[in-house]
Amino acid sequence: MAGKFDLNDDSVVVIVGSGAGGGTLGTELALKGINTVILEAGGRYEMEDFVNDEWDSFTQLAWTDMRTTSGSWRVAKDFANLPAWIVKAVGGSTVHWAGASLRFQEHEFKTKTVYGDVKGANLLDWPLTLAELEPYYAKAESRMGVTRTNGIAGLPGSNNYKVFEAGAKKLGYTEVHTGRMAINSAPRDGRGSCQQIGFCFQGCKSGAKWSTLIAEIPKGEDTGKLEVRSNSHVVKIEHDAKGKVTGVVYADKAGNLQKQKARVVAVAGNSIETPRLLLNSASSLFPDGLANSSGQVGRNYMRHMTASVYGIFDRPVHMYRGTTMAGVISDEAKHNPARGFVGGYEFETLSLGLPFMAAFLNPGAWGRSFTSAIDAYENTAGMWIVGEDMPQESNRVTLHATEKDKLGMPVANVHFDDHPNDIAMRNHAWKQGQAVYDAIGATRTMPTPPYPSTHNLGTSRMSEKPKDGVVNKFGQTHDIPNLFISDGSQFTTGAAENPTLTIVTLALRQADTIADMMAKKTI
Amino acid sequence: MTDSRFGDGVSRRSFVKAASAAALVLTAKAVINPIEAWGMETKGLAPETVQALIQAARDIYPHDRVPDRFYAVAIKDYDVKAATDPKIKTLIEGGIAELNSAAKQAHGTDYVGVGWEEERVALLRKIEGTPFFKTLRGGLVTGLYNQKEVWPLFGYEGESASKGGYIKRGFDDITWI
C-alpha cells in the first residue's frame, strides 16, 4: 500500500528499480528537493541480514523469477532459466557487485567511427563524448569513494592479487594494481574500511562497499523527499491520449495491483526487465511497446565478453580470503586490431567459494578431470575477464509467447549468440590469462566459460537519431518526453569496463536534466 | 541420515561387497557403513538402490579424501522424495536398474560389483544424456559441495564476517610468491 506519497499524487517522479541507476537518480532528485517514489520489486535487506553463504545468499537476493533463454551461448544450455545473475532487492545489483569502478575510454564512445564497419555488429557512436561525461565521472567517483581517485589509497593486495600481479609482471604487463574500487580503504562518508571478509557478491556485511542500499538511498530518505516502496513490482506503464506517461501499475507485497500516478517515470530495472516492462506496456497508441518507434527496444542486448581463468599451484593461495575482486590488469583494454579483434578487455581477480566453484568452473562437467581441480581449491588463484562485446540486433530480449509470471505478465526471453569478434577476443584473453599464471609456475590452468550475465546492457540504447535507438543523450526516450531510462539499458555500446560507475555517472547527469526540465516545465 | 552404529541385528549375509572404498552393509531397510560408523534408514528406495547411488555419486564426483557419509547425505534427498513421489522413485530405481543391467552385460555383475572406477565411469558415460543421470549429477552439485562439513576437506573456510573477516587472519599471508 501507499506509504508517504499518495497513489494519486501526480507531481512525483516515479522510478522503477533501486539499483545503480534508479537508486542514485532517486537519491539525487530528493537531494534537489524533488518528491520521488522508487518502486522496487524486491524486498529490503540490510547489512546485518546478508549471509556469508553463497547459495543461501543467492536464495535471499537473486532475481530468480522465471526467464527463458535461446541462442548458441552456453548459458542457455547450462542455466536455461537463469540468463542473468542479478539482484531482486533494494539496492539492486549494487548489493551484489564487486566494486570495480573504471571510466570508459574515449574511443569507446565512438566505436562506429573508430572500429569501422564490423560485419554483423550494430555499432553506433554514443551521442556523448568522454569530455562531456568527465565532470559527472568525477562526481560519481567522489560520491562512491573510488580508490585511486580523490586521493583515496588503493586497497591492500590479497593473496589472490599477489599471484595475479606477479604473473602479470613476469609476462610484461605494466598496468597492474589493486583496482579502482568503490570499497573504502579507510573510513569515509560514514562507512568503515574493508575488513577483507570476502563475500562481496553476497552483500557487504561491513558497509565498506558502496551500494545504493547503504550509501545513497538513506541520504535520499533523510530529506523526506524520497520514498522507497519495496516488494512493489511494476507491471505496466500507463499513458494518456496524447502519449505522455501518467503513472505505473504495480503489484504490492500481497499481489494486489496498485496505481501510482506520476509526472515523470524513469525505468531502471536492469537490461532484461526494462525492455520487458516497455514491451509489456504496449497499448493501442503504442502497439509495439512504449518508446519503441525505432523497433530497438530489447535489441542489441550485450553482456560483455566474459570468461574466467583459474590457475592451480603447488602451494596454497586461499583466493577466497579478502575482497572478491582484488586487482586489475588493463594492458589489454586498448583497441589494438592487430590482435585480431576490435575493442579490448580487462583482467580482474575473482574468487568463488567452494560451492560456486563447483557450480561454475565447468558447468555439467564430471569425473576426475573436474574433481581433481576442485581438490586443489586451496591452491587455486582466479581471475575474471571482461571485454567489449559487439551489439547485435538479433541479440534480444523479447516477450515469451506463452510463459507468464505469477502476475500473468509474459516473461522475458533472452536470446544471445556470440559475435565472431567476441569469440576471437575470448580466445585471446583465455590464452593471455593462462599465460599470466603459467609465468609463475602454475601446474594447471583452466579456461572457464562465462557465468550467467552480471553486466546486462544495451536493450534501450542511446542514439542521436530517433530511428537508431530508444533514448537521447540524457536517457530521455525519443518518443515520450516524460519517460526516461536510467540503467545500463541506455548503453549504446558496452565498452571494456565494468558498467556500474558509468551507470551512476549517467544517473547523476540525468538528475540534473530532469530537475532542469521540471523547473522549466518542459516535462 | 541417522547416526546409528552398526548393530547386532544386521546380517552380513545380505551383502558384503568390496567394490567401493568402504564396503557398505545392507539390511532390509538400511544402508550401513561400519567403518565410518553411520547408518542410513531407507525410506523410499531399496537399500541396494541407495548403495548404488552412493557409488554412482562418488564415481561422478570422485574425491578420495571425502568419506562415503558425505555422498550418502548428498543422495539422501532422492530416497526421502521417493517415499512420497512415485515419479522420483521410478526415475531413480529405473536408472539404477539400467546401470545394473549394463554392468551385468559388460562385466557379469551389478554396478557396485564392477571393480575399477574407470569401468563404472564408462557405464555412466553411456547414460549421461538420460534424465536419471542429469537429475543425479545436477543435484550433487549442491548436494555434495554445499555441505558445510565437507568444506574444510577442500580448505575452504566459509563464513568470515563473524570472525572479523580476514584482515588480520591471512588475507595476504602468501609467502611463496
Side-chain angles (χ1 to χ4, degrees), chain A residues 183-206:
Chain A
I183 298 176
N184 279 350
S185 56
R188 188 179 189 274
D189 195 27
R191 293 181 289 114
S193 63
C194 177
Q195 302 302 300
Q196 301 289 342
I197 292 169
F199 297 100
C200 301
F201 285 170
Q202 284 69 37
C204 177
K205 283 188 78 70
S206 82

Side-chain angles (χ1 to χ4, degrees), chain B residues 75-174:
Chain B
I75 59 92
K76 183 180 161 54
D77 205 33
Y78 297 114
D79 176 56
V80 173
K81 280 186 185 150
T84 54
D85 186 342
K87 271 191 198 152
I88 290 282
K89 188 176 166 108
T90 307
L91 180 77
I92 302 293
E93 296 280 15
I96 294 298
E98 196 186 336
L99 260 187
N100 281 335
S101 124
K104 285 214 172 76
Q105 211 168 6
H107 306 286
T109 173
D110 58 10
Y111 181 72
V112 296
V114 177
W116 283 97
E117 177 186 302
E118 62 211 61
E119 291 173 340
R120 294 190 303 273
V121 165
L123 298 172
L124 290 171
R125 286 279 168 212
K126 285 185 189 157
I127 62 156
E128 69 181 334
T130 63
F132 162 70
F133 184 90
K134 286 182 176 172
T135 303
L136 179 58
R137 190 209 60 76
L140 285 171
V141 174
T142 47
L144 180 61
Y145 297 109
N146 203 34
Q147 293 180 50
K148 285 187 175 62
E149 296 74 20
V150 87
W151 294 347
L153 301 181
F154 294 95
Y156 177 54
E157 295 172 83
E159 189 273 338
S160 88
S162 71
K163 299 165 193 151
Y166 289 105
I167 194 152
K168 291 177 184 154
R169 296 191 311 121
F171 85 102
D172 62 348
D173 66 355
I174 199 162

Side-chain angles (χ1 to χ4, degrees), chain A residues 48-125:
Chain A
E48 55 274 21
D49 302 323
F50 296 145
V51 281
N52 274 190
D53 180 297
E54 290 177 315
W55 283 116
D56 286 353
S57 176
F58 184 85
T59 303
Q60 180 183 52
L61 298 173
W63 188 291
T64 52
D65 295 16
M66 177 66 165
R67 284 170 175 156
T68 60
T69 49
S70 57
S72 57
W73 58 327
R74 188 168 155 182
V75 168
K77 173 175 155 276
D78 296 327
F79 305 99
N81 297 117
L82 191 73
W85 177 10
I86 54 180
V87 171
K88 184 178 185 180
V90 173
S93 295
T94 65
V95 171
H96 159 92
W97 81 311
S101 303
L102 302 167
R103 293 186 184 190
F104 285 10
Q105 304 164 75
E106 188 173 7
H107 73 268
E108 289 171 333
F109 291 99
K110 42 188 181 187
T111 54
K112 174 97 174 168
T113 302
V114 176
Y115 301 167
D117 280 328
V118 177
K119 195 181 168 200
N122 192 20
L123 289 171
L124 185 70
D125 290 353

Side-chain angles (χ1 to χ4, degrees), chain A residues 289-487:
Chain A
L290 295 190
N292 197 21
S293 65
S294 64
Q296 294 292 308
V297 169
R299 292 187 184 273
N300 313 302
Y301 169 71
M302 296 173 285
R303 56 173 323 265
H304 270 149
M305 183 293 293
T306 69
S308 301
V309 173
Y310 291 93
I312 295 173
F313 295 85
D314 57 353
R315 281 162 287 186
V317 176
H318 301 288
M319 67 170 167
Y320 57 86
R321 294 182 185 168
T323 54
T324 303
M325 201 164 268
V328 61
I329 303 169
S330 295
D331 293 72
E332 300 285 1
K334 298 169 189 71
H335 170 57
N336 170 15
R339 292 173 299 182
F341 54 87
V342 299
Y345 61 86
E346 308 270 356
F347 295 109
E348 296 167 348
T349 77
L350 187 81
S351 67
L352 296 177
L354 186 86
F356 275 13
M357 271 297 273
F360 296 121
L361 175 64
N362 188 10
W366 60 278
R368 287 213 176 248
S369 170
F370 177 81
T371 54
S372 60
I374 299 291
D375 280 334
Y377 177 76
E378 201 172 12
N379 292 13
T380 303
M383 67 169 84
W384 194 54
I385 299 159
V386 52
E388 179 165 21
D389 60 341
M390 289 294 103
Q392 300 180 74
E393 279 207 315
S394 53
N395 284 345
R396 190 176 177 191
V397 174
T398 54
L399 300 179
H400 197 281
T402 51
E403 289 282 351
K404 295 194 167 52
D405 69 10
K406 63 180 193 289
L407 303 167
M409 303 305 287
V411 306
N413 183 70
V414 182
H415 180 93
F416 190 86
D417 299 302
D418 278 314
H419 186 278
N421 195 78
D422 307 343
I423 294 168
M425 186 192 286
R426 183 176 296 117
N427 288 336
H428 188 274
W430 266 332
K431 186 168 155 279
Q432 291 304 112
Q434 290 181 282
V436 165
Y437 291 141
D438 286 338
I440 46 161
T443 54
R444 182 176 173 189
T445 57
M446 295 170 288
T448 291
Y451 313 126
S453 317
T454 51
H455 300 173
N456 300 277
L457 306 166
T459 51
S460 300
R461 70 177 357 187
M462 212 180 249
S463 66
E464 189 186 344
K465 296 176 187 152
K467 73 175 175 59
D468 295 329
V470 180
V471 299
N472 67 17
K473 66 196 289 186
F474 301 109
Q476 182 182 33
T477 61
H478 288 302
D479 298 352
I480 302 173
N482 66 337
L483 177 63
F484 290 75
I485 306 297
S486 313
D487 58 16

